[in-house]
Amino acid sequence: KLNRSCYLLIADGFAEESVSQTIEYFRLNEIEITFLTLFLSQLGKKLLVRYGIASVLIGDADKIPLPEGLLMVGGQQCSNHFLIDPRVYHLVHKMHKAGNPVGFLYPAATILVKTFHDPYLNKLILVQERLQTLNFLHDFARRMPYPFPFYHRESSSLLL
């Protein structure tokens, strides 16, 4: 399997517009999406019905391979859940250690971004600006490594 994968960390109170655009972009670019939820709730069922994508509890994430990217879904209430859960900090640390990017979808809570900011890892932390969803997703996907080091997409030269 040559496709990359990405967790979308999500909780109640998420901003749906960014999630829909992210799913559409990732599907077009063959990036596998897994919703990562904090709690066993109706949210997982709603996501499966709405988007056709299964969710995994964050506590079970250690049982599956680490993805090439992690996006935290925006929304104030959603961000508050992330701030108080130590499993989120653990996951971000694992992503940083692996050299995989962590992104924050709009609207990202400033306190959440500052909490995970590390000046040595600036290239691995991306924050979506308000109206730049596609540019942000393109930049994020470019920073996601491929699962096999020998496989890299390269642009072909134009032959006339």
Side-chain angles (χ1 to χ4, degrees):
K1 173 183 160 187
L2 299 178
N3 294 344
R4 296 170 293 167
S5 62
C6 185
Y7 283 153
L8 264 64
L9 184 61
I10 195 163
D12 289 323
F14 70 94
E16 188 165 340
E17 183 178 335
S18 293
V19 172
S20 298
Q21 291 173 330
T22 300
I23 290 169
E24 183 179 329
Y25 180 87
F26 279 7
R27 282 181 172 158
L28 287 172
N29 289 278
E30 299 179 344
I31 297 172
E32 182 182 330
I33 303 162
T34 301
F35 282 118
L36 198 60
T37 60
L38 302 179
F39 316 109
L40 187 59
S41 69
Q42 292 297 325
L43 179 60
K45 291 178 185 174
K46 290 177 188 175
L47 296 170
L48 180 60
V49 169
R50 183 174 296 149
Y51 300 111
I53 298 172
S55 62
V56 174
L57 286 171
I58 194 169
D60 295 333
D62 287 338
K63 298 173 186 169
I64 57 178
L66 195 65
E68 288 73 36
L70 168 66
L71 283 174
M72 293 192 193
V73 175
Q76 186 62 49
Q77 182 185 358
C78 188
S79 296
N80 290 339
H81 291 297
F82 298 159
L83 281 169
I84 61 173
D85 195 321
R87 299 171 300 177
V88 174
Y89 293 81
H90 176 71
L91 178 60
V92 170
H93 176 72
K94 282 176 61 175
M95 295 298 289
H96 285 171
K97 191 174 177 181
N100 296 345
V102 175
F104 298 88
L105 292 173
Y106 181 83
T110 304
I111 187 74
L112 184 64
V113 175
K114 286 182 179 180
T115 299
F116 293 111
H117 175 75
D118 182 333
Y120 298 106
L121 299 169
N122 259 350
K123 68 179 184 133
L124 298 176
I125 299 284
L126 288 93
V127 181
Q128 177 190 343
E129 299 298 325
R130 184 177 188 150
L131 299 175
Q132 303 297 324
T133 305
L134 292 179
N135 291 342
F136 169 80
L137 292 171
H138 176 74
D139 193 29
F140 184 83
R142 264 188 337 104
R143 294 171 195 239
M144 289 172 60
Y146 281 86
F148 304 107
F150 59 85
Y151 176 78
H152 297 281
R153 269 192 198 168
E154 295 187 21
S155 58
S156 59
S157 59
L158 180 61
L159 300 174
L160 297 176

